[in-house]
Amino acid sequence: GQNIDQPTEMTATEGAIVQINCTYQTSGFNGLFWYQQHAGEAPTFLSYNVLDGLEEKGRFSSFLSRSKGYSYLLLKELQMKDSASYLCAVMDSNYQLIWGAGTKLIIKP
Amino acid sequence: SAVISQKPSRDICQRGTSLTIQCQVDSQVTMMFWYRQQPGQSLTLIATANQGSEATYESGFVIDKFPISRPNLTFSTLTVSNMSPEDSSIYLCSVSTGEGTEAFFGQGTRLTVV
């Protein structure tokens, strides 16, 4: 079966760095996405990785290792507004998105 | 990118009734999807809306319960039929402009069935 695993909840301090991990097992791979979802709102796109390595976009970076079925989202200089759920999703061989359950990130002052 | 307008944003409905949710996109898109998201849980794909033909439903979802229309490349509707409290959830419309590209989401419809 297809499976996406990510931690349920993480806590970090304002100004610090946090890494959210995602491991996956899917039938085929056509890229991995990270989305941010604030409570009561729709998910918004953060990043897309299809090749191994690190993609940096401002305070957010995303890493992919296809051989290990592993990705992480790195958030730097955390701000209170970063408190949200972060969803990992993998596009399988049918170009369908398989979603993780999301990681709720709590930022403390 | 695509801008999606989803209506209504929320509704409270009586059990046994039906609700139709609309999704309008500001540009022609290849793929349109309907998801359900229970509180604190991941997104569950209900179906892929196919333009001019019947939607493709995921396991556990049937057309009689969740009829979907997609008359053109910019518009789709999802109906939640004969509702029960178990249908209380957030329903999300999502679009993609092609394979391997990111999905964009509507604002979601928060449905409460009483």
Side-chain angles (χ1 to χ4, degrees):
Chain A
Q2 309 206 89
N3 195 48
I4 311 282
D5 284 318
Q6 50 182 132
T8 304
E9 187 175 296
M10 298 182 71
T11 302
T13 304
E14 190 177 14
I17 299 173
V18 70
Q19 177 175 311
I20 303 174
N21 296 325
C22 171
T23 58
Y24 62 89
Q25 289 180 307
T26 57
S27 56
F29 181 83
N30 280 299
L32 185 143
F33 298 81
W34 283 97
Y35 282 80
Q36 181 190 60
Q37 186 175 26
H38 285 100
E41 298 181 12
T44 56
F45 170 76
L46 287 178
S47 68
Y48 171 64
N49 294 67
V50 67
L51 300 176
D52 289 350
L54 188 68
E55 295 279 344
E56 296 186 78
K57 193 185 293 186
R59 293 189 298 114
F60 293 6
S61 302
S62 57
F63 172 83
L64 174 67
S65 169
R66 289 172 296 172
S67 62
K68 295 181 179 178
Y70 168 70
S71 173
Y72 67 72
L73 180 69
L74 190 72
L75 293 76
K76 303 177 184 176
E77 301 169 16
L78 285 170
Q79 303 174 9
M80 297 303 293
K81 67 178 182 179
D82 297 329
S83 292
S85 287
Y86 292 85
L87 306 174
C88 173
V90 173
M91 187 167 280
D92 69 8
S93 56
N94 294 318
Y95 294 96
Q96 188 169 114
L97 282 175
I98 310 301
W99 293 86
T103 298
K104 183 178 180 180
L105 178 63
I106 300 168
I107 310 295
K108 295 185 175 180
Chain B
S1 64
V3 177
I4 304 167
S5 173
Q6 185 176 337
K7 298 178 182 179
S9 58
R10 60 177 62 229
D11 208 342
I12 300 173
C13 300
Q14 296 290 325
R15 67 175 66 201
T17 63
S18 297
L19 175 72
T20 295
I21 304 168
Q22 298 182 357
C23 179
Q24 178 74 55
V25 192
D26 69 341
S27 59
Q28 293 186 345
V29 291
T30 307
M31 304 166 127
M32 293 184 79
F33 308 92
W34 287 99
Y35 286 91
R36 183 169 72 183
Q37 187 176 30
Q38 305 280 14
Q41 296 189 19
S42 183
L43 298 161
T44 301
L45 181 63
I46 297 171
T48 302
N50 300 311
Q51 191 252 334
S53 64
E54 190 173 293
T56 304
Y57 289 85
E58 297 302 304
S59 175
F61 298 96
V62 295
I63 187 171
D64 290 344
K65 176 67 176 176
F66 297 100
I68 288 170
S69 77
R70 188 178 175 191
N72 54 53
L73 291 176
T74 64
F75 184 78
S76 178
T77 66
L78 168 74
T79 299
V80 186
S81 303
N82 188 25
M83 288 183 285
S84 66
E86 291 71 34
D87 295 320
S88 297
S89 186
I90 296 173
Y91 292 84
L92 291 155
C93 168
S94 175
V95 305
S96 174
T97 54
E99 296 169 348
T101 61
E102 70 264 32
F104 300 93
F105 288 86
Q107 305 94 319
T109 298
R110 183 180 294 274
L111 171 62
T112 303
V113 183
V114 297

